[in-house]
Short mmCIF file of all heavy atoms in Angstrom, two decimals:
data_model
loop_
_atom_site.label_atom_id
_atom_site.label_comp_id
_atom_site.label_asym_id
_atom_site.label_seq_id
_atom_site.Cartn_x
_atom_site.Cartn_y
_atom_site.Cartn_z
N ILE A 531 5.90 -12.81 36.62
CA ILE A 531 4.99 -11.66 36.75
C ILE A 531 4.92 -11.23 38.21
O ILE A 531 4.94 -10.03 38.52
CB ILE A 531 3.60 -12.02 36.21
CG1 ILE A 531 3.68 -12.34 34.72
CG2 ILE A 531 2.60 -10.91 36.48
CD1 ILE A 531 2.38 -12.72 34.09
N LEU A 532 4.86 -12.19 39.12
CA LEU A 532 4.78 -11.84 40.54
C LEU A 532 6.08 -11.17 41.00
O LEU A 532 6.04 -10.21 41.79
CB LEU A 532 4.51 -13.09 41.38
CG LEU A 532 3.18 -13.82 41.09
CD1 LEU A 532 2.95 -14.93 42.12
CD2 LEU A 532 2.01 -12.86 41.12
N LEU A 533 7.21 -11.64 40.53
CA LEU A 533 8.48 -11.00 40.90
C LEU A 533 8.50 -9.55 40.40
O LEU A 533 8.98 -8.65 41.11
CB LEU A 533 9.65 -11.77 40.31
CG LEU A 533 9.87 -13.21 40.83
CD1 LEU A 533 11.09 -13.84 40.18
CD2 LEU A 533 10.02 -13.22 42.36
N SER A 534 8.00 -9.32 39.19
CA SER A 534 7.94 -7.95 38.68
C SER A 534 7.01 -7.09 39.55
O SER A 534 7.29 -5.92 39.81
CB SER A 534 7.44 -7.95 37.24
OG SER A 534 8.32 -8.67 36.41
N THR A 535 5.91 -7.69 39.99
CA THR A 535 4.98 -6.95 40.85
C THR A 535 5.65 -6.56 42.16
O THR A 535 5.48 -5.43 42.65
CB THR A 535 3.73 -7.82 41.12
OG1 THR A 535 3.11 -8.14 39.87
CG2 THR A 535 2.74 -7.09 42.01
N TYR A 536 6.42 -7.50 42.76
CA TYR A 536 7.11 -7.17 44.01
C TYR A 536 8.08 -6.01 43.79
O TYR A 536 8.19 -5.10 44.64
CB TYR A 536 7.87 -8.39 44.53
CG TYR A 536 7.01 -9.61 44.80
CD1 TYR A 536 7.56 -10.88 44.86
CD2 TYR A 536 5.63 -9.48 45.01
CE1 TYR A 536 6.79 -12.00 45.11
CE2 TYR A 536 4.86 -10.59 45.25
CZ TYR A 536 5.43 -11.84 45.30
OH TYR A 536 4.66 -12.94 45.55
N ALA A 537 8.80 -6.04 42.66
CA ALA A 537 9.74 -4.95 42.38
C ALA A 537 9.00 -3.62 42.22
O ALA A 537 9.46 -2.57 42.69
CB ALA A 537 10.55 -5.28 41.12
N LYS A 538 7.86 -3.64 41.59
CA LYS A 538 7.07 -2.42 41.42
C LYS A 538 6.57 -1.91 42.77
O LYS A 538 6.54 -0.69 43.04
CB LYS A 538 5.89 -2.70 40.49
CG LYS A 538 6.27 -2.91 39.03
CD LYS A 538 6.50 -1.59 38.33
CE LYS A 538 6.75 -1.79 36.85
NZ LYS A 538 6.87 -0.52 36.12
N ILE A 539 6.14 -2.82 43.64
CA ILE A 539 5.66 -2.42 44.97
C ILE A 539 6.79 -1.74 45.74
O ILE A 539 6.59 -0.71 46.41
CB ILE A 539 5.10 -3.63 45.73
CG1 ILE A 539 3.79 -4.11 45.07
CG2 ILE A 539 4.87 -3.30 47.20
CD1 ILE A 539 3.23 -5.38 45.67
N LEU A 540 8.01 -2.31 45.63
CA LEU A 540 9.16 -1.67 46.29
C LEU A 540 9.40 -0.27 45.72
O LEU A 540 9.71 0.67 46.45
CB LEU A 540 10.41 -2.52 46.07
CG LEU A 540 10.74 -3.59 47.13
CD1 LEU A 540 12.08 -4.23 46.81
CD2 LEU A 540 10.79 -2.97 48.53
N MET A 541 9.24 -0.14 44.42
CA MET A 541 9.47 1.14 43.76
C MET A 541 8.49 2.20 44.27
O MET A 541 8.84 3.37 44.45
CB MET A 541 9.37 0.97 42.25
CG MET A 541 9.61 2.24 41.44
SD MET A 541 8.06 3.14 41.09
CE MET A 541 7.29 2.02 39.95
N HIS A 542 7.25 1.77 44.53
CA HIS A 542 6.22 2.72 44.95
C HIS A 542 6.31 3.03 46.45
O HIS A 542 5.57 3.90 46.93
CB HIS A 542 4.83 2.17 44.62
CG HIS A 542 4.48 2.22 43.17
ND1 HIS A 542 4.53 3.39 42.44
CD2 HIS A 542 4.09 1.25 42.30
CE1 HIS A 542 4.18 3.14 41.18
NE2 HIS A 542 3.92 1.84 41.07
N THR A 543 7.15 2.33 47.21
CA THR A 543 7.28 2.61 48.64
C THR A 543 8.65 3.23 48.92
O THR A 543 9.51 2.61 49.55
CB THR A 543 7.11 1.31 49.46
OG1 THR A 543 8.02 0.33 48.97
CG2 THR A 543 5.70 0.78 49.36
N GLN A 544 8.85 4.41 48.41
CA GLN A 544 10.10 5.16 48.67
C GLN A 544 9.76 6.38 49.52
O GLN A 544 8.88 7.16 49.12
CB GLN A 544 10.75 5.57 47.35
CG GLN A 544 11.22 4.41 46.47
CD GLN A 544 12.36 3.62 47.08
OE1 GLN A 544 13.13 4.17 47.89
NE2 GLN A 544 12.43 2.34 46.76
N PRO A 545 10.39 6.59 50.68
CA PRO A 545 11.43 5.74 51.28
C PRO A 545 10.87 4.37 51.65
O PRO A 545 9.68 4.25 51.98
CB PRO A 545 11.86 6.53 52.52
CG PRO A 545 10.68 7.38 52.85
CD PRO A 545 10.03 7.73 51.55
N PRO A 546 11.70 3.36 51.64
CA PRO A 546 11.20 1.99 51.77
C PRO A 546 10.73 1.65 53.18
O PRO A 546 11.23 2.18 54.16
CB PRO A 546 12.42 1.15 51.38
CG PRO A 546 13.60 2.02 51.70
CD PRO A 546 13.16 3.43 51.45
N ASP A 547 9.77 0.76 53.25
CA ASP A 547 9.37 0.09 54.49
C ASP A 547 10.36 -1.06 54.67
O ASP A 547 10.37 -2.01 53.90
CB ASP A 547 7.93 -0.43 54.34
CG ASP A 547 7.44 -1.15 55.58
OD1 ASP A 547 8.28 -1.78 56.27
OD2 ASP A 547 6.23 -1.11 55.86
N LEU A 548 11.21 -0.95 55.69
CA LEU A 548 12.31 -1.90 55.83
C LEU A 548 11.83 -3.34 55.99
O LEU A 548 12.43 -4.27 55.43
CB LEU A 548 13.19 -1.51 57.03
CG LEU A 548 13.94 -0.17 56.89
CD1 LEU A 548 14.77 0.10 58.13
CD2 LEU A 548 14.82 -0.19 55.64
N GLU A 549 10.74 -3.52 56.74
CA GLU A 549 10.23 -4.89 56.91
C GLU A 549 9.76 -5.47 55.57
O GLU A 549 10.07 -6.61 55.21
CB GLU A 549 9.07 -4.89 57.91
CG GLU A 549 8.53 -6.28 58.20
CD GLU A 549 7.35 -6.25 59.16
OE1 GLU A 549 7.05 -5.16 59.72
OE2 GLU A 549 6.73 -7.31 59.34
N LEU A 550 9.00 -4.65 54.82
CA LEU A 550 8.55 -5.10 53.51
C LEU A 550 9.73 -5.34 52.57
O LEU A 550 9.77 -6.33 51.82
CB LEU A 550 7.59 -4.05 52.92
CG LEU A 550 7.07 -4.32 51.50
CD1 LEU A 550 6.28 -5.62 51.45
CD2 LEU A 550 6.22 -3.15 51.02
N GLN A 551 10.68 -4.42 52.62
CA GLN A 551 11.85 -4.56 51.75
C GLN A 551 12.60 -5.84 52.03
O GLN A 551 13.00 -6.56 51.11
CB GLN A 551 12.76 -3.35 51.96
CG GLN A 551 14.06 -3.40 51.14
CD GLN A 551 14.90 -2.16 51.34
OE1 GLN A 551 14.69 -1.15 50.70
NE2 GLN A 551 15.83 -2.22 52.30
N ASN A 552 12.78 -6.18 53.31
CA ASN A 552 13.50 -7.40 53.67
C ASN A 552 12.75 -8.65 53.20
O ASN A 552 13.35 -9.64 52.76
CB ASN A 552 13.75 -7.45 55.17
CG ASN A 552 14.77 -6.39 55.61
OD1 ASN A 552 15.62 -5.97 54.83
ND2 ASN A 552 14.67 -5.96 56.86
N GLN A 553 11.41 -8.60 53.31
CA GLN A 553 10.62 -9.74 52.86
C GLN A 553 10.80 -9.96 51.35
O GLN A 553 10.99 -11.09 50.90
CB GLN A 553 9.13 -9.52 53.17
CG GLN A 553 8.77 -9.68 54.64
CD GLN A 553 7.29 -9.44 54.86
OE1 GLN A 553 6.77 -8.33 54.75
NE2 GLN A 553 6.58 -10.51 55.18
N ILE A 554 10.72 -8.89 50.62
CA ILE A 554 10.82 -9.01 49.15
C ILE A 554 12.24 -9.39 48.76
O ILE A 554 12.45 -10.23 47.87
CB ILE A 554 10.38 -7.70 48.48
CG1 ILE A 554 8.88 -7.47 48.72
CG2 ILE A 554 10.68 -7.72 46.98
CD1 ILE A 554 8.34 -6.17 48.19
#
Side-chain angles (χ1 to χ4, degrees):
I531 297 179
L532 298 187
L533 295 181
S534 299
T535 301
Y536 301 159
K538 289 280 186 175
I539 291 175
L540 269 185
M541 181 267 291
H542 286 304
T543 54
Q544 296 294 334
D547 179 329
L548 295 180
E549 183 182 353
L550 176 61
Q551 178 178 276
N552 290 334
Q553 286 180 290
I554 294 176

